[in-house]
Amino acid sequence: MSEKHKHFETAVIHEGYDSKDMLGSLSAPLFQTSTYSFESAEQGERRFAGEEEGYIYSRLGNPTVTVLEERIAALENGERGLAFASGMAAVSAVLIALTKANDHVLCSSGLYGCTFGLLTMMKEKYNISHDLSAMHSKEAIRSLIRPETTCIYVETPINPTMKLIDLKMVAEVAKEYDIPVVVDNTFSSPYLQRPLDLGCDVVLHSATKYIGGHGDVVAGLAVGKKDFMDSVAMTTQKDIGGVIAPFDAWLLIRGLKTLPVRLDRHCDNAEKVFEKLRNHPKVANVYYPNDESHPDFAIRQKQMKRGGGVISFDIEGTRQDAQKLLNNLGFLKIAVSLGDTETLIEHPATMTHAVIPEESREKMGITDQLIRLSVGLEAWEDIWSDLEQALNKV
Ligand SMILES: *Cc1c(COP(=O)(O)O)cnc(C)c1O
């Protein structure tokens, strides 16, 4: 956060934009343009040569997108932010920038389904291999690092089992080998967890989730050191081209303004629903980072402000029972994604994580009875009563 906007709650609203620069427009304007005209041929030459600051073409930069990029960089306490067309565009731009043929990536034992798909494709096409690790200890991490390891890639909380990884510990081991640590911070948002402050190198988001917050945009963000992010901007972002649309950047600027307020309510609601789920006879296990009996609770206290808005639980029964639960819901929506105002519920084994081979899925703890719940901003009593009546029918 900058000197001017010391607190997170102020930075989400003001960082990266001053209405003085834009005719007093309180809301950052939407620059819906594909290109920018030069005043002369020589100016065009200087812009392309990098000798003069200024916009050239919207795949290379756009003023609305710049506001968003500066804001997320400040919120994650990093040097430079970049915005992408989706979370996966951010993941792929960063992973491809950090690897070449025959390299190796060490990953957390749970990964977003499409990130796992991307790593599988990189293995098949370029022999870039990967290992999955629970990263429980420094020794466990060291034992999997090879001379060709060029990236450590971590999700925490792990989707959908909500296990946690100690980011400070991972960063300390990575420093011994000079390997960059990339963290997918989608589930926490910078309001709950700031990986760069813990020594990690790059943080990325599916901004589709909590950062957008309203279920109306697909987008991604990444933040890191200026040199590395400059190289991503000039290679895997510019030349692969998964850039964000100006309107989507505008929606994210709007969404970010209420991030702390929304997140606190998501967490309040999730804590209430968690207590209820834990005491329901049809629920076998509940996974939520703010559970004091959770083995990772100490890590939660160390690195996350609160537990977040996502809860997973195993029901007593079979895959058919899990589907029956979903089919008996009233106003709660059966949908993938998370972090929206609406409560969303899904079945990872047949939806978000269906692409992962069954054997790997089981190792990740994704059973046929597992349900993932993204607790929304409705009254928690209404969320619970709908869930409870559906559980009672299982
Ligand atoms: C949704 C998600 C992604 C992918 O983001 P998209 O915006 O859908 O491309 C990556 N990581 C995590 C943890 C996610 O939840």
Side-chain angles (χ1 to χ4, degrees):
M1 257 68 66
S2 70
E3 270 307 296
K4 256 194 308 191
H5 314 126
K6 285 203 186 75
H7 292 94
F8 193 89
E9 291 77 1
T10 309
V12 289
I13 297 171
H14 292 284
E15 193 68 44
Y17 180 66
D18 188 341
S19 58
K20 278 209 298 292
D21 303 337
M22 294 293 168
L23 306 169
S25 175
L26 182 69
S27 145
L30 169 58
F31 284 86
Q32 189 70 28
T33 187
S34 59
T35 195
Y36 306 83
S37 60
F38 306 128
E39 283 164 15
S40 65
E42 289 76 14
Q43 185 183 49
E45 183 180 6
R46 287 194 301 276
R47 293 257 172 106
F48 270 88
E51 293 161 9
E52 180 187 297
E53 290 267 318
Y55 294 97
I56 295 175
Y57 180 67
S58 278
R59 180 157 41 75
L60 316 179
N62 171 286
T64 308
V65 175
T66 303
V67 173
L68 172 66
E69 291 178 337
E70 289 184 5
R71 192 161 294 176
I72 191 65
L75 298 177
E76 286 286 8
N77 239 343
E79 292 178 3
R80 182 169 183 193
L82 292 176
F84 295 85
S86 68
M88 284 315 301
V91 172
S92 56
V94 168
L95 272 178
I96 294 169
L98 287 172
T99 51
K100 60 179 184 341
N102 307 314
D103 281 348
H104 171 252
V105 181
L106 179 58
C107 303
S108 53
S109 54
L111 286 176
Y112 182 71
C114 298
T115 302
F116 188 83
L118 174 70
L119 286 162
T120 306
M121 181 169 72
M122 286 163 69
K123 166 82 184 153
E124 284 163 7
K125 278 178 167 304
Y126 310 114
N127 195 37
I128 298 166
S129 56
H130 60 267
D131 278 304
L132 303 179
S133 166
M135 302 191 182
H136 279 325
S137 66
K138 288 189 171 180
E139 265 322 301
I141 300 169
R142 286 190 194 109
S143 72
L144 290 168
I145 289 178
R146 307 186 202 159
E148 59 274 19
T149 306
T150 57
C151 170
I152 297 179
Y153 187 96
V154 182
E155 271 183 38
T156 177
I158 292 179
N159 172 24
T161 51
M162 309 311 288
K163 294 196 180 92
L164 304 184
I165 291 174
D166 183 337
L167 290 175
K168 192 156 172 279
M169 178 197 71
V170 175
E172 281 167 8
V173 180
K175 288 274 174 312
E176 295 168 11
Y177 299 85
D178 207 17
I179 300 171
V181 179
V182 179
V183 179
D184 181 335
N185 202 26
T186 300
F187 270 54
S188 301
S189 89
Y191 180 59
L192 299 181
Q193 173 171 278
R194 282 191 287 281
L196 303 183
D197 288 353
L198 300 167
C200 301
D201 300 278
V202 181
V203 56
L204 48 85
H205 289 277
S206 169
T208 313
K209 317 293 167 55
Y210 287 106
I211 289 178
H214 294 72
D216 51 15
V217 59
V218 172
L221 295 166
V223 181
K225 288 252 160 54
K226 186 176 181 307
D227 285 353
F228 175 69
M229 297 313 290
D230 284 352
S231 82
V232 170
M234 292 311 290
T235 58
T236 50
Q237 187 186 46
K238 171 173 81 69
D239 298 337
I240 297 177
V243 293
I244 194 168
F247 181 58
D248 291 347
W250 188 88
L251 284 172
L252 294 186
I253 293 166
R254 179 187 162 109
L256 268 175
K257 291 184 184 187
T258 55
L259 180 74
V261 180
R262 286 186 287 108
L263 247 292
D264 272 330
R265 179 60 70 88
H266 280 295
C267 293
D268 291 345
N269 281 356
E271 286 169 14
K272 299 282 193 197
V273 172
F274 166 70
E275 283 303 328
K276 292 288 186 186
L277 278 170
R278 179 147 81 166
N279 294 309
H280 195 283
K282 296 280 172 59
V283 175
N285 304 296
V286 195
Y287 309 101
Y288 183 57
N290 206 44
D291 177 358
E292 283 172 30
S293 63
H294 191 294
D296 299 335
F297 185 65
I299 303 177
R300 202 295 282 150
Q301 286 180 303
K302 246 174 41 174
Q303 71 189 25
M304 289 176 77
K305 188 180 166 94
R306 301 187 63 180
V310 180
I311 303 172
S312 292
F313 55 97
D314 284 310
I315 57 158
E316 297 285 0
T318 61
R319 171 198 286 218
Q320 284 70 32
D321 293 316
Q323 291 180 323
K324 193 165 174 200
L325 166 63
L326 300 196
N327 289 335
N328 276 300
L329 291 166
F331 80 96
L332 298 185
K333 299 289 182 270
I334 308 172
V336 299
S337 198
L338 55 111
D340 294 347
T341 50
E342 290 81 358
T343 294
L344 306 179
I345 190 162
E346 66 117 356
H347 185 235
T350 59
M351 296 179 187
T352 45
H353 294 70
V355 296
I356 300 174
E358 195 171 341
E359 195 193 333
S360 311
R361 210 162 59 215
E362 271 165 20
K363 268 196 222 143
M364 293 178 179
I366 305 169
T367 65
D368 277 355
Q369 297 83 258
L370 188 74
I371 302 278
R372 187 184 78 187
L373 178 70
S374 168
V375 181
L377 300 181
E378 304 96 337
W380 75 266
E381 296 90 339
D382 293 338
I383 299 170
W384 174 246
S385 80
D386 196 9
L387 204 53
E388 186 182 34
Q389 62 77 28
L391 274 166
N392 289 342
K393 292 187 179 128
V394 170

